[in-house]
Amino acid sequence: MLLVWLGSVPPANLAKIVAAAAFGLWIADEIERVSWIIAVAVVSAVTDIVSVAIGPTRKILDEGPVLIGYFAVIMTWFGYTWSEAHSAIGMSDVIFFALYLGAAQSFGLRERLSAVVMIASFLVTLAVAMWWTALPALPLLSLSFLIVNADLLWRGVRPDVGARATGLPQDSERSQS
């Protein structure tokens, strides 16, 4: 917060990214079942849509746009200062990016492909957001993660599909251990 207040945007961005990634990885480590990550992805996507449309994010954008610098990673546009023209990715987006990557590692999902597709989802969201004042990033981020890992996630939550053969822990197995 101090770095943002002082106008040191690049160091502030780095600090925010490191803190958000660490928090996301910590949360991922606490997820015990494959079904939980699916629920997290769905709930976070819906919550982000509501927040940006009519919730707290909308209120911040409308009433205190200067506050965004404290809650987002700011990317300036070429030829402008960060206060003149920028795009931003919310701290929650970074947290969930790290959470999904941590879950991919924990549950033996497709880590590299998840990372590439989720980065692409951020780029698509930023490109589309050029024509909107604000666009939630979590819906496309969550959808990307779920699609890339759909078959493995399905096997992880369905004991009759044969998750033992894939090496994925099933919900019923993880809850007993």
Side-chain angles (χ1 to χ4, degrees), residues 3 10 38 41 51 60 74 81 94-95 105 126 134 137 152 177:
L3 291 170
I38 297 168
S51 179
I60 289 172
I74 305 297
T81 66
V94 178
I95 290 169
Q105 183 179 32
L126 286 171
L152 299 175
S177 56

Side-chain angles (χ1 to χ4, degrees), residues 9 74-87:
V9 176
I74 305 297
M75 296 164 286
T76 59
W77 297 355
F78 292 111
Y80 295 92
T81 66
W82 73 273
S83 60
E84 295 173 326
H86 66 271
S87 294

Side-chain angles (χ1 to χ4, degrees), residues 4 48 65 81 93 106 143 159 169:
V4 172
D48 199 31
T81 66
D93 304 327
S106 294
L143 183 63

Side-chain angles (χ1 to χ4, degrees), residues 18-142:
V18 168
F23 188 58
L25 291 172
W26 173 69
I27 294 169
D29 193 46
E30 299 300 315
I31 294 177
E32 297 177 7
R33 299 178 181 176
V34 174
S35 59
W36 292 6
I37 193 66
I38 297 168
V40 165
V42 171
V43 170
S44 67
V46 171
T47 302
D48 199 31
I49 291 169
V50 171
S51 179
V52 171
I54 59 173
T57 303
R58 172 56 50 205
K59 190 166 182 82
I60 289 172
L61 289 170
D62 291 345
E63 296 179 15
V66 75
L67 295 175
I68 289 297
Y70 294 102
F71 300 104
V73 176
I74 305 297
M75 296 164 286
T76 59
W77 297 355
F78 292 111
Y80 295 92
T81 66
W82 73 273
S83 60
E84 295 173 326
H86 66 271
S87 294
I89 293 179
M91 295 302 300
S92 62
D93 304 327
V94 178
I95 290 169
F96 281 93
F97 182 89
L99 187 153
Y100 295 149
L101 284 183
Q105 183 179 32
S106 294
F107 293 108
L109 305 175
R110 297 178 181 98
E111 294 174 61
R112 289 184 182 140
L113 185 57
S114 293
V116 169
V117 172
M118 289 190 303
I119 289 169
S121 81
F122 278 151
L123 295 175
V124 167
T125 300
L126 286 171
V128 173
M130 299 295 270
W131 291 275
W132 296 46
T133 55
L135 192 64
L138 287 181
L140 190 54
L141 180 77
S142 299

